Amino acid sequence: MGGEVRQLLEQIHRFSRRCLFRVLSMGPLPTHLAFIMDGNRRYAKKRGLEDGSGHKAGFSTLMSMLQYCYELGIKYVTIYAFSIDNFRRKPEEVQSLMDLMLEKIKSLLDKESIVHEYGIRVYFIGNLGLLNDQVRAAAEEVMKATAKNSRVVLLVCVAYNSTDEIVQAVKRSCVDKADRDTERIQLVDIEENMQMSVAPEPDILIRSSGETRLSNFLLWQTGNSQLFSLDALWPEIGLRHLVWAILNFQRSHSYLEKRKKQL
Amino acid sequence: MEQMVYIVSVVFTCLALLIIPVIIITRRLSVHLSFKNILRFIKLVASQLDDEEENNEKSGTIGEEDKRRRLPKHVAIILDGNRRWAEKRGLGTSEGHHAGARRLIENAKDCFAMGINTVSLFAFSTENWARPEDEVNGLMALFEKHLRSEMAFFRSDKIKISVIGNRTKISQSLLGLITEAEEATKNYEEKHLIIAIDYSGRFDILQACKSLAEKAKNGLIQVEDIDEDVMEKELMTNCSEFPNPDLLIRTSGEQRISNFFLWQSAYTELYFPNVLWPDFGEAEYLEALTWYQQRQRRFGLRV
């Protein structure tokens, strides 16, 4: 009886969400959303749970967000999973995060996982050489397994720092143009060599837990993105936050398009 | 009956005692009447009183030291909203920019008075060249006028001036003034005003890349040795002791960096007040600093 009620509620939820998304799609929708998933540990502390469960709750929030983005038709989603700075945390914490990541990355390979259901292509962006062999191997396997999907593109930034990404791109540009005139290096040359060049620039960057900084995430790419800082912790983020961010995006969109046309 | 009258009159008096000051406060601030704004005003007055107390003390105390440590060393400002300010008042765009320039000078003076070491201003972006020609010419004339008129102030207050950006498109006369200002103030150390004219964060990174490529070609460095520190030294902010802003303020409510400091704002606290730039005065500035002091900066580590 409980299961049936839950299923019914789920159906009602899904239906009302569809109506809401239909209304939202009357206006311009972003093509690329980026999330800084901040606040998992504070969430666990707030609820008096052990540390790891904050990250687990965060992961299920991520899955819900991906589902909403798929239903809305947003093509690119980028998430900041692990920064190079985070390696400086306590070794036990880093290890437990790595273990969790390995577990979740492997779960993406399951047939029933969300990536196959929604046709998500997964990229792992970052200095993958800094990860341990198991995690790196699992990441490469997922990238290969989802290479044919094209409905949604998920970019997971792990062992990533934007300054590191820029330095790697600069190095590659220097090497590419070593024989030719260095004066002819242009913006497109650096851009092509960026790992994030597989996706367009983010339209919206959302950071949870109330902090108002970029923390070395997508510095090059977010020059013209709208930045939103939500007070809720990442596991508390829900549909209403996403809708609010999109509504705000729509509000300033026409003004921004006008400015872009002037360029 | 008498008791009722008594109680009702007490209640009304209390309400009046609460509401009248609230109305006066919001009239004074000409902001929307809301609880948040009232709290903000109270916090602001409290911090202003604190600052006054500090200034009145003859010797430094631990409290003052601590507060000084939590002041940003480098504040970057995106001056947005001049045109909207002028439109609201039925004035022309150039009046808006004039008001903006006046506000700029005042705010720079306030910043340095509060002990901030470096102030960066996004005066003109590479994207602004697309604006109507008379507006662009008006802006360039404004820069020339103010650089000339404020030279005496920069010298007397010992403020080092640096102008960063692409110098190839600006007029010779402006270029001459810029070189003169930079030469005259190059030895000053404690206060640094960085003005970004024809600047774009991506352009900055590109010119650093070209410079590194040139060096690599000439054998001065190896490509493998290029890392973040090497990059940072090639960016245009290498003229400053504190190249990375601690606080970035963009007025007029737009929540974007618009290609200002990209690399440099990796860990910068971003503050987006709704006020338009010509209205951003000392009170709003103090509010920004109070807000900054309450941030917890972790740089990726644990709380």
Side-chain angles (χ1 to χ4, degrees), chain A residues 66 70 74-77 118-121 150-154:
Chain A
L66 281 178
Y70 166 80
I74 295 177
K75 178 121 192 236
Y76 296 92
V77 177
Y118 293 151
I120 302 181
R121 178 166 187 179
S150 59
R151 209 44 174 78
V152 178
V153 180
L154 172 66

Side-chain angles (χ1 to χ4, degrees), chain A residues 212 214 227, chain B residues 72 74-78 120 122 245-251 254-262 264-265 267-273 288 291-292 297:
Chain A
T212 47
L214 293 171
L227 311 169
Chain B
H74 179 168
V75 175
I77 310 183
I78 302 181
S120 301
F122 202 14
D246 297 303
L247 171 63
L248 187 141
I249 302 174
R250 182 189 182 135
T251 51
E254 293 299 323
Q255 305 200 200
R256 290 189 304 275
I257 299 190
S258 291
N259 225 342
F260 189 25
F261 289 145
L262 296 180
Q264 295 88 338
S265 8
Y267 300 100
T268 307
E269 297 291 332
L270 309 167
Y271 183 66
F272 299 114
W291 177 89
Y292 174 80
R297 309 186 75 196

Side-chain angles (χ1 to χ4, degrees), chain B residues 105-136:
Chain B
I105 307 290
E106 283 163 25
N107 278 348
K109 292 183 181 160
D110 288 335
C111 275
F112 292 125
M114 286 185 211
I116 312 269
N117 181 293
T118 308
V119 176
S120 301
L121 305 164
F122 202 14
F124 194 87
S125 141
T126 309
E127 278 109 25
N128 292 149
W129 286 115
R131 290 199 184 170
E133 203 181 318
D134 32 333
E135 190 183 339
V136 172

Side-chain angles (χ1 to χ4, degrees), chain A residues 127-149:
Chain A
N127 199 339
L128 299 181
L130 294 173
L131 297 169
N132 68 45
D133 293 331
Q134 283 179 309
V135 180
R136 187 178 40 247
E140 278 163 10
E141 212 183 314
V142 170
M143 284 202 272
K144 222 164 70 174
T146 57
K148 298 242 171 55
N149 297 341

Side-chain angles (χ1 to χ4, degrees), chain B residues 7-289:
Chain B
I7 291 173
V8 166
S9 58
V10 164
V11 166
F12 268 122
T13 317
C14 290
L15 278 176
L17 281 175
L18 274 176
I19 293 181
I20 293 178
V22 159
I23 295 183
I24 296 179
I25 288 171
T26 51
R27 276 271 157 78
R28 204 195 113 160
L29 289 181
S30 53
V31 295
H32 179 63
L33 172 66
S34 84
F35 192 56
K36 199 164 150 201
N37 278 327
I38 295 170
L39 272 182
R40 215 184 265 176
F41 181 72
I42 295 174
K43 236 195 278 180
L44 194 60
V45 171
S47 70
Q48 269 177 323
L49 286 173
D50 274 343
D51 279 347
E52 272 175 44
E53 268 177 42
E54 259 182 58
N55 288 335
N56 288 337
E57 279 173 11
K58 291 239 167 81
S59 57
T61 60
I62 295 179
E64 194 182 311
E65 261 311 306
D66 187 40
K67 214 162 186 191
R68 210 157 279 267
R69 233 181 286 139
R70 279 159 65 212
L71 272 181
K73 294 230 172 43
H74 179 168
V75 175
I77 310 183
I78 302 181
L79 327 160
D80 199 10
N82 291 339
R83 288 180 299 173
R84 265 169 282 177
W85 183 90
E87 226 174 89
K88 252 165 92 167
R89 284 165 174 67
L91 301 166
T93 317
S94 63
E95 268 104 4
H97 288 307
H98 273 90
R102 276 196 298 277
R103 182 60 77 186
L104 196 156
I105 307 290
E106 283 163 25
N107 278 348
K109 292 183 181 160
D110 288 335
C111 275
F112 292 125
M114 286 185 211
I116 312 269
N117 181 293
T118 308
V119 176
S120 301
L121 305 164
F122 202 14
F124 194 87
S125 141
T126 309
E127 278 109 25
N128 292 149
W129 286 115
R131 290 199 184 170
E133 203 181 318
D134 32 333
E135 190 183 339
V136 172
N137 292 337
L139 278 167
M140 291 294 153
L142 203 59
F143 296 148
E144 276 189 56
K145 169 172 162 229
H146 280 281
L147 265 177
R148 210 174 276 134
S149 61
E150 299 296 328
M151 265 312 295
F153 162 66
F154 297 146
R155 262 198 271 249
S156 66
D157 267 38
K158 296 202 177 27
I159 300 177
K160 180 174 172 189
I161 302 288
S162 297
V163 173
I164 60 175
N166 182 2
R167 297 196 178 190
T168 57
K169 287 200 203 161
I170 51 185
S171 71
Q172 284 303 317
S173 55
L174 181 54
L175 201 50
L177 272 174
I178 290 174
T179 324
E180 196 191 312
E182 287 183 334
E183 255 312 298
T185 56
K186 69 178 180 205
N187 292 321
Y188 301 140
E189 278 178 1
E190 282 189 12
K191 303 179 194 168
H192 195 177
L193 182 64
I194 302 178
I195 309 174
I197 299 183
D198 197 3
Y199 178 88
S200 127
R202 290 194 184 181
F203 170 77
D204 197 359
I205 295 174
L206 176 64
Q207 66 84 31
C209 178
K210 283 194 195 169
S211 156
L212 283 171
E214 192 62 35
K215 286 189 180 162
K217 200 162 124 183
N218 298 334
L220 290 166
I221 51 165
Q222 298 296 325
V223 176
E224 305 85 59
D225 293 336
I226 298 178
D227 63 10
E228 296 181 19
D229 291 320
V230 170
M231 240 341 252
E232 210 165 277
K233 295 202 180 73
E234 293 294 325
L235 292 170
M236 291 187 203
T237 41
N238 56 12
C239 58
S240 163
E241 200 187 328
F242 304 106
N244 301 329
D246 297 303
L247 171 63
L248 187 141
I249 302 174
R250 182 189 182 135
T251 51
S252 88
E254 293 299 323
Q255 305 200 200
R256 290 189 304 275
I257 299 190
S258 291
N259 225 342
F260 189 25
F261 289 145
L262 296 180
W263 174 286
Q264 295 88 338
S265 8
Y267 300 100
T268 307
E269 297 291 332
L270 309 167
Y271 183 66
F272 299 114
N274 272 322
V275 61
L276 300 169
W277 174 248
D279 291 328
F280 188 83
E282 199 183 336
E284 288 78 16
Y285 188 55
L286 278 173
E287 208 184 312
L289 288 182

